[in-house]
Amino acid sequence: MIPAAFDYYRPDTIAGVLEILEEHGDDARVMAGGHSLIPMMKLRMADIPHLIDLQAVEELNGIDIRSGEVRLGAMTTQHDIINHAELTTACPILREASLQIADPQVRYMGTVGGNVANGDPGNDMPGLMQCLDAQFVLVGPDGERTVAARDFYEAAYMTDREDEEILTTVIVPFHGRGYAYEKQKRKIGDYATAAAAVTLTNDQGMCVAASIAMTNLSDTPIWSEEAGQALEGTGVDDDAVNAAVEAMLGDIDPQEDNRGPVAFKNHVAGIILKRAITRAWDRAEGRA
Amino acid sequence: MGKKMHITMTVNGKEEEFLAEPRELLIYTLRERLNYTGPHIGCETSHCGACTVEVNGKSVKACTMFVAQADGTDVTTIEGIGGPDALHPLQEAFREHHGLQCGYCTPGMITRARKLLEENPNPSEEEIRFGMAGNICRCTGYQNIVKSIQAAATQIEAAKEAAE
Ligand SMILES: Cc1cc2nc3c(=O)[nH]c(=O)nc-3n(C[C@H](O)[C@H](O)[C@H](O)COP(=O)(O)OP(=O)(O)OC[C@H]3O[C@@H](n4cnc5c(N)ncnc54)[C@H](O)[C@@H]3O)c2cc1C
Ligand code: FES
Ligand code: FES
């Protein structure tokens, strides 16, 4: 498996990256951990004459915990997330989800920036970030802008990011005690057949806020406002959970592939979402 | 396009310098250019872990890294971990506990296990299975691999205590 030839660049500043992107336009691409991009290049599904390695850009590193939010530099790896104690205290769902991505070797290399910028419906972080209402900071020739994760995904591998922009930071608001990331996969290291990210806020036994997103069940992640609303104002009893699942099943659009036919995927989606809601609510009520 | 790059890297403590196309995969650099044939190619698609090496202290699948990315790094392969004259405790334990059958996955297993024990010197069976999940074995059924890693962990800890 030999990818097409390319010129290799390793700039050490964001400005340096943008300069190369501007010069070569469509023919240039950035590479973070390379664990989505290199497999595509080896299959010759991506041909990138000018490859810009981000590994030396210090500005893209760092986990910055502020009041009420965390700022993850784009080059933060899944391994970094898993092993950062303060981050886990502030935003435990990031660790819970990262542990369910790929395998140890991949997690040393795979970055949060690459995972959310990639646009593959199988990636776990886009749905997670939609659930958490994260913001993505992009920098391009015209300066900086911020896009909500919920507005970022257009179709498979199509995002709101322009070719000459790079993603620098993912801003994640803190979430409360009621959270869960649940994923069904064929084996460790596999992408999701279905995965659900759920956060719930409990006020004296009543769910007062709910956010639910699912992964790999459409050509983009699906954040279902209606599914969340089905839980709000309830005690998260069976009827409410079933209503949330119904709402989500109405919003997803799974396709038949090597992970199964449509009916199976809808079935798995329902089970995974129920498990995620149950675990999130148990935690919200202090039972887990 | 695709012009050759001047690459320097340290492999098993030895400084290496050569010209290579950036698209060369690190596994080929190691096996064919530098003759470190310990790391194997099982799948070439990032799934099996037979090609696992250490790059700057990370367990990496060498089939999923360009040589250009590894420019300036410190690489360790199974050859740098131990050999016939001085087996690493993990190698000793794999031999003792039948942690291998055909041996194809073994260099990757041991290279990964070494890093795992560095990060978690006293892992439970569950932690071993989770930490080794990037390495596939078609022969052993994993039982004896887990046993070997547990035995090596005990051995390494005992040696550390004896040294103190
Ligand atoms: C065996 C295997 C199993 C895997 N399983 C899973 C899984 O279960 N779940 C999952 O979510 N992922 C999985 N992955 C993918 C892995 O998590 C990737 O590492 C991740 O999706 C991409 O991160 P990266 O840093 O490697 O990005 P790269 O591969 O370097 O880049 C991916 C894309 O994003 C772009 N990009 C990267 N960084 C930026 C940036 N800062 N700004 C703009 N564009 C950028 C690149 O140009 C490229 O198009 C798996 C990968 C492998 C090899
Ligand atoms: S050969 Fe690299 S993971 Fe299989
Ligand atoms: S011993 Fe044969 S593949 Fe593991």
Side-chain angles (χ1 to χ4, degrees), chain B residues 105-146:
Chain B
C105 68
T106 315
M109 285 285 175
I110 289 178
T111 307
R112 169 60 198 148
R114 189 182 76 137
K115 184 71 205 167
L116 173 65
L117 293 184
E118 218 179 276
E119 290 181 345
N120 181 0
N122 190 14
S124 65
E125 170 174 352
E126 199 188 330
E127 285 167 341
I128 292 176
R129 288 184 183 272
F130 193 74
M132 297 299 295
N135 294 72
I136 290 175
C137 175
R138 288 283 87 134
C139 303
T140 61
Y142 302 101
Q143 204 71 23
N144 287 346
I145 291 177
V146 173

mmCIF file of all heavy atoms in Angstrom, chain B residues 105-146:
data_model
loop_
_atom_site.group_PDB
_atom_site.id
_atom_site.type_symbol
_atom_site.label_atom_id
_atom_site.label_comp_id
_atom_site.label_asym_id
_atom_site.label_seq_id
_atom_site.Cartn_x
_atom_site.Cartn_y
_atom_site.Cartn_z
ATOM 1 N N CYS B 105 2.969 -12.390 15.901
ATOM 2 C CA CYS B 105 2.485 -11.179 16.578
ATOM 3 C C CYS B 105 3.413 -10.746 17.706
ATOM 4 O O CYS B 105 3.247 -9.667 18.267
ATOM 5 C CB CYS B 105 1.089 -11.429 17.155
ATOM 6 S SG CYS B 105 1.091 -12.620 18.526
ATOM 7 N N THR B 106 4.353 -11.628 18.076
ATOM 8 C CA THR B 106 5.081 -11.470 19.342
ATOM 9 C C THR B 106 5.922 -10.194 19.461
ATOM 10 O O THR B 106 5.878 -9.536 20.503
ATOM 11 C CB THR B 106 5.944 -12.729 19.605
ATOM 12 O OG1 THR B 106 5.147 -13.882 19.336
ATOM 13 C CG2 THR B 106 6.438 -12.764 21.034
ATOM 14 N N PRO B 107 6.675 -9.808 18.435
ATOM 15 C CA PRO B 107 7.448 -8.559 18.586
ATOM 16 C C PRO B 107 6.551 -7.359 18.896
ATOM 17 O O PRO B 107 6.876 -6.546 19.772
ATOM 18 C CB PRO B 107 8.118 -8.395 17.220
ATOM 19 C CG PRO B 107 8.171 -9.781 16.653
ATOM 20 C CD PRO B 107 6.924 -10.456 17.146
ATOM 21 N N GLY B 108 5.416 -7.286 18.216
ATOM 22 C CA GLY B 108 4.466 -6.193 18.473
ATOM 23 C C GLY B 108 3.876 -6.308 19.868
ATOM 24 O O GLY B 108 3.730 -5.311 20.583
ATOM 25 N N MET B 109 3.531 -7.525 20.259
ATOM 26 C CA MET B 109 2.962 -7.764 21.595
ATOM 27 C C MET B 109 3.933 -7.282 22.678
ATOM 28 O O MET B 109 3.547 -6.580 23.608
ATOM 29 C CB MET B 109 2.717 -9.266 21.805
ATOM 30 C CG MET B 109 1.527 -9.828 21.065
ATOM 31 S SD MET B 109 -0.022 -9.337 21.851
ATOM 32 C CE MET B 109 -1.173 -10.030 20.655
ATOM 33 N N ILE B 110 5.176 -7.705 22.557
ATOM 34 C CA ILE B 110 6.144 -7.394 23.616
ATOM 35 C C ILE B 110 6.481 -5.903 23.624
ATOM 36 O O ILE B 110 6.583 -5.281 24.691
ATOM 37 C CB ILE B 110 7.397 -8.281 23.453
ATOM 38 C CG1 ILE B 110 7.022 -9.729 23.817
ATOM 39 C CG2 ILE B 110 8.560 -7.767 24.320
ATOM 40 C CD1 ILE B 110 8.137 -10.739 23.667
ATOM 41 N N THR B 111 6.594 -5.318 22.451
ATOM 42 C CA THR B 111 6.894 -3.883 22.385
ATOM 43 C C THR B 111 5.760 -3.081 23.026
ATOM 44 O O THR B 111 5.996 -2.140 23.793
ATOM 45 C CB THR B 111 7.119 -3.444 20.930
ATOM 46 O OG1 THR B 111 8.108 -4.300 20.354
ATOM 47 C CG2 THR B 111 7.587 -2.007 20.853
ATOM 48 N N ARG B 112 4.536 -3.473 22.732
ATOM 49 C CA ARG B 112 3.384 -2.784 23.326
ATOM 50 C C ARG B 112 3.299 -3.067 24.836
ATOM 51 O O ARG B 112 3.065 -2.170 25.637
ATOM 52 C CB ARG B 112 2.093 -3.211 22.626
ATOM 53 C CG ARG B 112 0.818 -2.774 23.302
ATOM 54 C CD ARG B 112 0.703 -1.253 23.422
ATOM 55 N NE ARG B 112 -0.294 -0.884 24.425
ATOM 56 C CZ ARG B 112 -0.234 0.196 25.180
ATOM 57 N NH1 ARG B 112 0.763 1.057 25.049
ATOM 58 N NH2 ARG B 112 -1.162 0.463 26.060
ATOM 59 N N ALA B 113 3.526 -4.330 25.215
ATOM 60 C CA ALA B 113 3.408 -4.702 26.627
ATOM 61 C C ALA B 113 4.438 -3.943 27.466
ATOM 62 O O ALA B 113 4.165 -3.547 28.599
ATOM 63 C CB ALA B 113 3.580 -6.207 26.801
ATOM 64 N N ARG B 114 5.623 -3.722 26.902
ATOM 65 C CA ARG B 114 6.651 -2.999 27.653
ATOM 66 C C ARG B 114 6.162 -1.601 28.014
ATOM 67 O O ARG B 114 6.317 -1.115 29.139
ATOM 68 C CB ARG B 114 7.944 -2.918 26.839
ATOM 69 C CG ARG B 114 9.107 -2.380 27.652
ATOM 70 C CD ARG B 114 10.355 -2.258 26.833
ATOM 71 N NE ARG B 114 10.284 -1.108 25.952
ATOM 72 C CZ ARG B 114 11.299 -0.264 25.763
ATOM 73 N NH1 ARG B 114 12.440 -0.450 26.390
ATOM 74 N NH2 ARG B 114 11.162 0.753 24.942
ATOM 75 N N LYS B 115 5.557 -0.926 27.044
ATOM 76 C CA LYS B 115 5.028 0.424 27.280
ATOM 77 C C LYS B 115 3.882 0.383 28.297
ATOM 78 O O LYS B 115 3.788 1.234 29.182
ATOM 79 C CB LYS B 115 4.548 1.017 25.951
ATOM 80 C CG LYS B 115 4.056 2.438 26.027
ATOM 81 C CD LYS B 115 5.183 3.394 26.256
ATOM 82 C CE LYS B 115 4.683 4.664 26.919
ATOM 83 N NZ LYS B 115 5.804 5.478 27.420
ATOM 84 N N LEU B 116 3.029 -0.625 28.142
ATOM 85 C CA LEU B 116 1.906 -0.774 29.066
ATOM 86 C C LEU B 116 2.408 -0.907 30.509
ATOM 87 O O LEU B 116 1.904 -0.242 31.420
ATOM 88 C CB LEU B 116 1.069 -2.007 28.679
ATOM 89 C CG LEU B 116 -0.053 -2.433 29.636
ATOM 90 C CD1 LEU B 116 -1.141 -1.374 29.706
ATOM 91 C CD2 LEU B 116 -0.654 -3.760 29.201
ATOM 92 N N LEU B 117 3.432 -1.734 30.716
ATOM 93 C CA LEU B 117 3.952 -1.935 32.080
ATOM 94 C C LEU B 117 4.683 -0.698 32.590
ATOM 95 O O LEU B 117 4.752 -0.470 33.804
ATOM 96 C CB LEU B 117 4.875 -3.156 32.133
ATOM 97 C CG LEU B 117 4.200 -4.514 31.902
ATOM 98 C CD1 LEU B 117 5.205 -5.646 32.085
ATOM 99 C CD2 LEU B 117 3.002 -4.706 32.827
ATOM 100 N N GLU B 118 5.212 0.083 31.680
ATOM 101 C CA GLU B 118 5.843 1.337 32.082
ATOM 102 C C GLU B 118 4.764 2.276 32.635
ATOM 103 O O GLU B 118 4.972 2.953 33.632
ATOM 104 C CB GLU B 118 6.467 1.953 30.831
ATOM 105 C CG GLU B 118 7.786 2.644 31.017
ATOM 106 C CD GLU B 118 8.242 3.154 29.673
ATOM 107 O OE1 GLU B 118 8.841 2.345 28.924
ATOM 108 O OE2 GLU B 118 7.966 4.338 29.355
ATOM 109 N N GLU B 119 3.615 2.305 31.965
ATOM 110 C CA GLU B 119 2.539 3.208 32.390
ATOM 111 C C GLU B 119 1.748 2.640 33.568
ATOM 112 O O GLU B 119 1.145 3.380 34.334
ATOM 113 C CB GLU B 119 1.596 3.484 31.212
ATOM 114 C CG GLU B 119 2.249 4.339 30.145
ATOM 115 C CD GLU B 119 1.346 4.652 28.961
ATOM 116 O OE1 GLU B 119 0.302 4.007 28.786
ATOM 117 O OE2 GLU B 119 1.707 5.549 28.194
ATOM 118 N N ASN B 120 1.700 1.338 33.653
ATOM 119 C CA ASN B 120 0.908 0.675 34.693
ATOM 120 C C ASN B 120 1.648 -0.591 35.118
ATOM 121 O O ASN B 120 1.402 -1.670 34.605
ATOM 122 C CB ASN B 120 -0.481 0.351 34.123
ATOM 123 C CG ASN B 120 -1.382 -0.315 35.149
ATOM 124 O OD1 ASN B 120 -0.982 -0.539 36.289
ATOM 125 N ND2 ASN B 120 -2.597 -0.641 34.740
ATOM 126 N N PRO B 121 2.572 -0.462 36.095
ATOM 127 C CA PRO B 121 3.473 -1.571 36.433
ATOM 128 C C PRO B 121 2.774 -2.791 37.013
ATOM 129 O O PRO B 121 3.344 -3.869 37.020
ATOM 130 C CB PRO B 121 4.419 -0.959 37.475
ATOM 131 C CG PRO B 121 4.250 0.513 37.355
ATOM 132 C CD PRO B 121 2.876 0.756 36.841
ATOM 133 N N ASN B 122 1.543 -2.619 37.508
ATOM 134 C CA ASN B 122 0.887 -3.741 38.157
ATOM 135 C C ASN B 122 -0.556 -3.887 37.657
ATOM 136 O O ASN B 122 -1.504 -3.747 38.411
ATOM 137 C CB ASN B 122 0.927 -3.516 39.673
ATOM 138 C CG ASN B 122 0.477 -4.740 40.431
ATOM 139 O OD1 ASN B 122 0.385 -5.836 39.865
ATOM 140 N ND2 ASN B 122 0.161 -4.555 41.703
ATOM 141 N N PRO B 123 -0.716 -4.200 36.372
ATOM 142 C CA PRO B 123 -2.066 -4.182 35.793
ATOM 143 C C PRO B 123 -2.875 -5.426 36.148
ATOM 144 O O PRO B 123 -2.321 -6.511 36.321
ATOM 145 C CB PRO B 123 -1.789 -4.151 34.280
ATOM 146 C CG PRO B 123 -0.465 -4.826 34.130
ATOM 147 C CD PRO B 123 0.303 -4.545 35.375
ATOM 148 N N SER B 124 -4.186 -5.248 36.243
ATOM 149 C CA SER B 124 -5.103 -6.385 36.410
ATOM 150 C C SER B 124 -5.238 -7.092 35.063
ATOM 151 O O SER B 124 -4.837 -6.553 34.030
ATOM 152 C CB SER B 124 -6.474 -5.880 36.860
ATOM 153 O OG SER B 124 -7.038 -5.089 35.826
ATOM 154 N N GLU B 125 -5.860 -8.262 35.067
ATOM 155 C CA GLU B 125 -6.078 -8.964 33.801
ATOM 156 C C GLU B 125 -6.890 -8.088 32.849
ATOM 157 O O GLU B 125 -6.581 -7.986 31.667
ATOM 158 C CB GLU B 125 -6.807 -10.296 34.031
ATOM 159 C CG GLU B 125 -7.245 -10.885 32.692
ATOM 160 C CD GLU B 125 -7.860 -12.270 32.735
ATOM 161 O OE1 GLU B 125 -7.841 -12.896 33.801
ATOM 162 O OE2 GLU B 125 -8.342 -12.695 31.670
ATOM 163 N N GLU B 126 -7.912 -7.442 33.398
ATOM 164 C CA GLU B 126 -8.768 -6.609 32.555
ATOM 165 C C GLU B 126 -7.955 -5.455 31.941
ATOM 166 O O GLU B 126 -8.108 -5.129 30.769
ATOM 167 C CB GLU B 126 -9.911 -6.071 33.404
ATOM 168 C CG GLU B 126 -11.089 -5.590 32.593
ATOM 169 C CD GLU B 126 -12.124 -4.893 33.459
ATOM 170 O OE1 GLU B 126 -12.244 -5.242 34.663
ATOM 171 O OE2 GLU B 126 -12.787 -3.985 32.937
ATOM 172 N N GLU B 127 -7.095 -4.848 32.766
ATOM 173 C CA GLU B 127 -6.285 -3.735 32.257
ATOM 174 C C GLU B 127 -5.301 -4.219 31.180
ATOM 175 O O GLU B 127 -5.013 -3.499 30.226
ATOM 176 C CB GLU B 127 -5.528 -3.058 33.408
ATOM 177 C CG GLU B 127 -6.443 -2.201 34.270
ATOM 178 C CD GLU B 127 -5.810 -1.770 35.598
ATOM 179 O OE1 GLU B 127 -4.822 -2.395 36.054
ATOM 180 O OE2 GLU B 127 -6.314 -0.806 36.185
ATOM 181 N N ILE B 128 -4.790 -5.430 31.350
ATOM 182 C CA ILE B 128 -3.890 -5.967 30.325
ATOM 183 C C ILE B 128 -4.658 -6.163 29.021
ATOM 184 O O ILE B 128 -4.225 -5.745 27.948
ATOM 185 C CB ILE B 128 -3.251 -7.294 30.784
ATOM 186 C CG1 ILE B 128 -2.286 -7.035 31.942
ATOM 187 C CG2 ILE B 128 -2.523 -7.983 29.619
ATOM 188 C CD1 ILE B 128 -1.674 -8.292 32.543
ATOM 189 N N ARG B 129 -5.832 -6.786 29.131
ATOM 190 C CA ARG B 129 -6.607 -7.038 27.909
ATOM 191 C C ARG B 129 -6.966 -5.731 27.209
ATOM 192 O O ARG B 129 -6.907 -5.623 25.990
ATOM 193 C CB ARG B 129 -7.849 -7.865 28.222
ATOM 194 C CG ARG B 129 -7.507 -9.321 28.549
ATOM 195 C CD ARG B 129 -8.746 -10.180 28.756
ATOM 196 N NE ARG B 129 -8.396 -11.534 29.142
ATOM 197 C CZ ARG B 129 -8.140 -12.523 28.273
ATOM 198 N NH1 ARG B 129 -8.233 -12.308 26.985
ATOM 199 N NH2 ARG B 129 -7.795 -13.723 28.700
ATOM 200 N N PHE B 130 -7.331 -4.720 27.995
ATOM 201 C CA PHE B 130 -7.700 -3.430 27.400
ATOM 202 C C PHE B 130 -6.468 -2.738 26.807
ATOM 203 O O PHE B 130 -6.512 -2.197 25.703
ATOM 204 C CB PHE B 130 -8.364 -2.541 28.467
ATOM 205 C CG PHE B 130 -9.034 -1.343 27.894
ATOM 206 C CD1 PHE B 130 -10.233 -1.471 27.216
ATOM 207 C CD2 PHE B 130 -8.455 -0.080 28.007
ATOM 208 C CE1 PHE B 130 -10.854 -0.361 26.658
ATOM 209 C CE2 PHE B 130 -9.070 1.036 27.462
ATOM 210 C CZ PHE B 130 -10.274 0.892 26.784
ATOM 211 N N GLY B 131 -5.370 -2.791 27.530
ATOM 212 C CA GLY B 131 -4.153 -2.116 27.076
ATOM 213 C C GLY B 131 -3.481 -2.807 25.904
ATOM 214 O O GLY B 131 -2.648 -2.215 25.216
ATOM 215 N N MET B 132 -3.816 -4.075 25.677
ATOM 216 C CA MET B 132 -3.239 -4.840 24.575
ATOM 217 C C MET B 132 -4.221 -4.975 23.408
ATOM 218 O O MET B 132 -3.981 -5.760 22.481
ATOM 219 C CB MET B 132 -2.821 -6.238 25.051
ATOM 220 C CG MET B 132 -1.733 -6.268 26.121
ATOM 221 S SD MET B 132 -0.162 -5.538 25.596
ATOM 222 C CE MET B 132 0.310 -6.676 24.285
ATOM 223 N N ALA B 133 -5.314 -4.221 23.459
ATOM 224 C CA ALA B 133 -6.397 -4.442 22.498
ATOM 225 C C ALA B 133 -6.008 -4.079 21.062
ATOM 226 O O ALA B 133 -6.696 -4.462 20.115
ATOM 227 C CB ALA B 133 -7.639 -3.664 22.916
ATOM 228 N N GLY B 134 -4.914 -3.353 20.892
ATOM 229 C CA GLY B 134 -4.485 -3.001 19.541
ATOM 230 C C GLY B 134 -3.621 -4.078 18.892
ATOM 231 O O GLY B 134 -3.127 -3.883 17.780
ATOM 232 N N ASN B 135 -3.410 -5.191 19.586
ATOM 233 C CA ASN B 135 -2.557 -6.252 19.065
ATOM 234 C C ASN B 135 -3.358 -7.534 18.917
ATOM 235 O O ASN B 135 -3.915 -8.033 19.892
ATOM 236 C CB ASN B 135 -1.374 -6.492 20.011
ATOM 237 C CG ASN B 135 -0.455 -5.295 20.066
ATOM 238 O OD1 ASN B 135 -0.795 -4.261 20.648
ATOM 239 N ND2 ASN B 135 0.697 -5.410 19.452
ATOM 240 N N ILE B 136 -3.371 -8.061 17.710
ATOM 241 C CA ILE B 136 -4.166 -9.260 17.443
ATOM 242 C C ILE B 136 -3.248 -10.479 17.364
ATOM 243 O O ILE B 136 -2.145 -10.402 16.823
ATOM 244 C CB ILE B 136 -4.956 -9.083 16.128
ATOM 245 C CG1 ILE B 136 -6.056 -8.034 16.345
ATOM 246 C CG2 ILE B 136 -5.568 -10.409 15.665
ATOM 247 C CD1 ILE B 136 -6.819 -7.680 15.106
ATOM 248 N N CYS B 137 -3.707 -11.593 17.924
ATOM 249 C CA CYS B 137 -2.990 -12.869 17.829
ATOM 250 C C CYS B 137 -3.950 -13.917 17.283
ATOM 251 O O CYS B 137 -5.048 -14.063 17.806
ATOM 252 C CB CYS B 137 -2.492 -13.288 19.207
ATOM 253 S SG CYS B 137 -1.722 -14.919 19.175
ATOM 254 N N ARG B 138 -3.520 -14.612 16.250
ATOM 255 C CA ARG B 138 -4.382 -15.628 15.651
ATOM 256 C C ARG B 138 -4.167 -17.009 16.247
ATOM 257 O O ARG B 138 -4.834 -17.960 15.879
ATOM 258 C CB ARG B 138 -4.145 -15.700 14.133
ATOM 259 C CG ARG B 138 -4.693 -14.532 13.346
ATOM 260 C CD ARG B 138 -6.196 -14.615 13.169
ATOM 261 N NE ARG B 138 -6.880 -14.007 14.307
ATOM 262 C CZ ARG B 138 -7.884 -13.164 14.233
ATOM 263 N NH1 ARG B 138 -8.351 -12.791 13.073
ATOM 264 N NH2 ARG B 138 -8.450 -12.678 15.317
ATOM 265 N N CYS B 139 -3.169 -17.154 17.120
ATOM 266 C CA CYS B 139 -2.832 -18.501 17.607
ATOM 267 C C CYS B 139 -3.233 -18.762 19.047
ATOM 268 O O CYS B 139 -3.884 -19.733 19.347
ATOM 269 C CB CYS B 139 -1.328 -18.738 17.514
ATOM 270 S SG CYS B 139 -0.642 -18.542 15.867
ATOM 271 N N THR B 140 -2.811 -17.903 19.953
ATOM 272 C CA THR B 140 -2.779 -18.295 21.364
ATOM 273 C C THR B 140 -4.116 -18.232 22.082
ATOM 274 O O THR B 140 -4.263 -18.818 23.139
ATOM 275 C CB THR B 140 -1.840 -17.367 22.160
ATOM 276 O OG1 THR B 140 -2.370 -16.038 22.057
ATOM 277 C CG2 THR B 140 -0.435 -17.377 21.621
ATOM 278 N N GLY B 141 -5.066 -17.480 21.556
ATOM 279 C CA GLY B 141 -6.290 -17.247 22.329
ATOM 280 C C GLY B 141 -6.078 -16.270 23.470
ATOM 281 O O GLY B 141 -6.952 -16.092 24.308
ATOM 282 N N TYR B 142 -4.916 -15.640 23.513
ATOM 283 C CA TYR B 142 -4.589 -14.529 24.428
ATOM 284 C C TYR B 142 -4.338 -14.942 25.876
ATOM 285 O O TYR B 142 -3.664 -14.231 26.619
ATOM 286 C CB TYR B 142 -5.656 -13.412 24.386
ATOM 287 C CG TYR B 142 -5.834 -12.837 23.015
ATOM 288 C CD1 TYR B 142 -6.898 -13.220 22.213
ATOM 289 C CD2 TYR B 142 -4.917 -11.930 22.490
ATOM 290 C CE1 TYR B 142 -7.051 -12.714 20.931
ATOM 291 C CE2 TYR B 142 -5.058 -11.414 21.217
ATOM 292 C CZ TYR B 142 -6.133 -11.814 20.431
ATOM 293 O OH TYR B 142 -6.275 -11.320 19.167
ATOM 294 N N GLN B 143 -4.889 -16.085 26.306
ATOM 295 C CA GLN B 143 -4.777 -16.487 27.702
ATOM 296 C C GLN B 143 -3.312 -16.442 28.163
ATOM 297 O O GLN B 143 -2.987 -15.861 29.189
ATOM 298 C CB GLN B 143 -5.327 -17.913 27.822
ATOM 299 C CG GLN B 143 -5.805 -18.277 29.194
ATOM 300 C CD GLN B 143 -7.093 -17.543 29.550
ATOM 301 O OE1 GLN B 143 -7.835 -17.117 28.657
ATOM 302 N NE2 GLN B 143 -7.319 -17.358 30.829
ATOM 303 N N ASN B 144 -2.448 -17.073 27.380
ATOM 304 C CA ASN B 144 -1.044 -17.169 27.794
ATOM 305 C C ASN B 144 -0.286 -15.863 27.581
ATOM 306 O O ASN B 144 0.742 -15.634 28.220
ATOM 307 C CB ASN B 144 -0.346 -18.319 27.067
ATOM 308 C CG ASN B 144 -0.797 -19.664 27.617
ATOM 309 O OD1 ASN B 144 -1.418 -19.722 28.681
ATOM 310 N ND2 ASN B 144 -0.497 -20.725 26.895
ATOM 311 N N ILE B 145 -0.794 -15.026 26.700
ATOM 312 C CA ILE B 145 -0.184 -13.703 26.550
ATOM 313 C C ILE B 145 -0.436 -12.904 27.831
ATOM 314 O O ILE B 145 0.472 -12.279 28.396
ATOM 315 C CB ILE B 145 -0.733 -12.980 25.302
ATOM 316 C CG1 ILE B 145 -0.222 -13.695 24.040
ATOM 317 C CG2 ILE B 145 -0.341 -11.503 25.303
ATOM 318 C CD1 ILE B 145 -0.737 -13.141 22.732
ATOM 319 N N VAL B 146 -1.668 -12.960 28.319
ATOM 320 C CA VAL B 146 -2.003 -12.259 29.560
ATOM 321 C C VAL B 146 -1.139 -12.793 30.703
ATOM 322 O O VAL B 146 -0.538 -12.028 31.463
ATOM 323 C CB VAL B 146 -3.512 -12.419 29.890
ATOM 324 C CG1 VAL B 146 -3.825 -11.830 31.260
ATOM 325 C CG2 VAL B 146 -4.362 -11.755 28.808
#
